Amino acid sequence: MPELPEVETVRRGLSELIIGKVLASATHDTPKSFPNSESDVKQFLVGARVTAIRRRAKVLMIDLSTNYSLVVHLKMTGQLVFVGRDTRFGAGHPNDSLVNTLPDTSTRVTLEFEDDSQLFFNDQRKFGWVRLMPTLEIPNLSFMQKVGPEPLEADFTPQQFAERFKRRARTNIKAAILDQSVIAGVGNIYADESLWGAKIHPQRLVETITPAEFEKLYTELRAVMNLSIEKGGSSNRNYVNAEGKKGSYMDFARVFRREGLPCPRCGTTIEKLRVAGRGTHICPYCQTL
DNA sequence: CACTTGACCTGTCCGC
DNA sequence: TGCGGACAGGTCAAGT
């Protein structure tokens, strides 16, 4: 999916678009995408007002006035796209947005508001889900119990960052940084980008990383994620924001999906390898074992 | 427990 | 063109 910057971009967009709106209905195609019963929808969603939109790691929470929340995980190809009443009834919308063609074959859940606007959950690969549950029970989800700290929080220090990796001392740094129980929200793009920034080879064993290297990795990770949020996230293929538009971080990526191109730092040709089961991009000169 | 691999799905791209 | 296989931004469950 969508990693932390993409989910945060969706959160900010949705906050502008749907807070205060009242839900009228929810429909879905498969229970895998939306497991709740009709009766749950009727009792806790229909007539409920959207009060807040929150994010933890890569999970979004749309809080409702019924003290229930729509919890959303976009996984690899999920999208949450808002279609306003005017667009829906034919007033049109810029051509660089998805909204003119929704719903489509990837639409899994359709939420309608009382003002006739809509929110679509699209997910080509069906890994993602939307789930209606009591707001107070969200922290009890097993994912929430084990997820690590938010890396962009102001009070998150380099010392805390390094400390979190001790639990994964004997694996490679790429597997560890992708582990959501170590640090929240890092996925394949920002793992590669930050490791390149810190000049750390992704297959280095965690126990061999020096304190100075951890500090550099902390700084680089925060920098690439903050830059990506500023650019509206990365749109490799499927990702779009709440208005159906792509983000531009990929224009600024330095190694991710740039195999065969020169390293922006030294000019050496960027290579692609497989680490922790994921496609991994490195500069073989800047990042060595 | 820590670590690795395969499974979950659909679509697209690349080589023959 | 057609077909098969690899691969895609993420987690889980199962295996060692």
Side-chain angles (χ1 to χ4, degrees), chain A residues 52-64:
Chain A
I53 321 232
R54 296 177 293 139
R55 178 190 61 75
R56 176 78 170 97
K58 304 171 190 172
V59 176
L60 270 179
M61 295 155 277
I62 302 173
D63 294 334
L64 307 178

Side-chain angles (χ1 to χ4, degrees), chain A residues 80-107:
Chain A
L80 275 176
V81 182
F82 177 80
V83 175
R85 183 185 187 285
D86 290 349
T87 305
R88 181 180 175 185
F89 292 111
H93 201 277
N95 288 332
D96 64 347
S97 172
L98 245 193
V99 302
N100 298 310
T101 56
L102 293 177
D104 64 21
T105 54
S106 73
T107 299

Side-chain angles (χ1 to χ4, degrees), chain A residues 33-267:
Chain A
S33 299
F34 187 79
N36 296 85
S37 66
E38 272 304 310
S39 134
D40 282 350
V41 169
K42 193 169 281 183
Q43 280 188 74
F44 306 113
L45 184 145
V46 175
R49 185 177 300 273
V50 175
T51 58
I53 321 232
R54 296 177 293 139
R55 178 190 61 75
R56 176 78 170 97
K58 304 171 190 172
V59 176
L60 270 179
M61 295 155 277
I62 302 173
D63 294 334
L64 307 178
S65 56
T66 49
N67 293 324
Y68 268 60
S69 299
L70 286 162
V71 182
V72 183
H73 202 309
L74 302 173
K75 292 289 179 84
M76 297 283 261
T77 57
Q79 308 171 327
L80 275 176
V81 182
F82 177 80
V83 175
R85 183 185 187 285
D86 290 349
T87 305
R88 181 180 175 185
F89 292 111
H93 201 277
N95 288 332
D96 64 347
S97 172
L98 245 193
V99 302
N100 298 310
T101 56
L102 293 177
D104 64 21
T105 54
S106 73
T107 299
R108 308 294 170 213
V109 183
T110 301
L111 301 168
E112 292 198 350
F113 297 97
E114 282 189 343
D115 67 358
D116 289 327
S117 57
Q118 300 164 305
L119 182 62
F120 294 102
F121 173 69
N122 301 323
D123 186 17
Q124 179 181 101
R125 291 174 74 179
K126 302 182 184 174
F127 290 171
W129 41 263
V130 178
R131 179 174 161 188
L132 184 64
M133 63 183 292
T135 304
L136 287 174
E137 284 182 18
I138 296 172
N140 300 332
L141 293 173
S142 65
F143 177 87
M144 293 297 184
Q145 291 282 316
K146 63 189 183 203
V147 71
E150 289 290 325
L152 300 185
E153 286 293 298
D155 59 357
F156 183 59
T157 66
Q159 292 70 31
Q160 290 170 328
F161 179 79
E163 181 69 25
R164 297 297 299 173
F165 284 86
K166 290 188 174 167
R167 61 179 59 208
R168 300 298 305 270
R170 304 212 30 96
T171 190
N172 60 65
I173 186 68
K174 170 122 182 194
I177 200 170
L178 289 173
D179 183 340
Q180 299 298 292
S181 76
V182 174
I183 303 292
V186 186
N188 208 30
I189 299 175
Y190 306 107
D192 282 6
E193 292 287 293
S194 60
L195 287 167
W196 177 88
K199 301 187 182 180
I200 299 171
H201 192 289
Q203 286 172 318
R204 289 267 307 281
L205 232 45
V206 169
E207 62 188 1
T208 72
I209 308 285
T210 67
E213 286 175 322
F214 271 124
E215 177 146 3
K216 181 70 172 156
L217 183 58
Y218 162 93
T219 303
E220 291 294 324
L221 180 63
R222 288 176 39 127
V224 293
M225 286 193 159
N226 279 320
L227 174 64
S228 184
I229 290 170
E230 192 181 305
K231 301 300 175 188
S234 296
S235 291
N236 209 2
R237 23 175 23 120
N238 294 280
Y239 169 75
V240 293
N241 68 14
E243 297 178 87
K245 295 178 184 168
K246 294 173 181 294
S248 69
Y249 177 83
M250 286 303 284
D251 297 341
F252 301 84
R254 295 161 301 177
V255 284
F256 192 79
R257 289 222 156 194
R258 296 181 60 79
E259 60 270 31
L261 296 169
C263 168
R265 199 161 39 208
C266 73

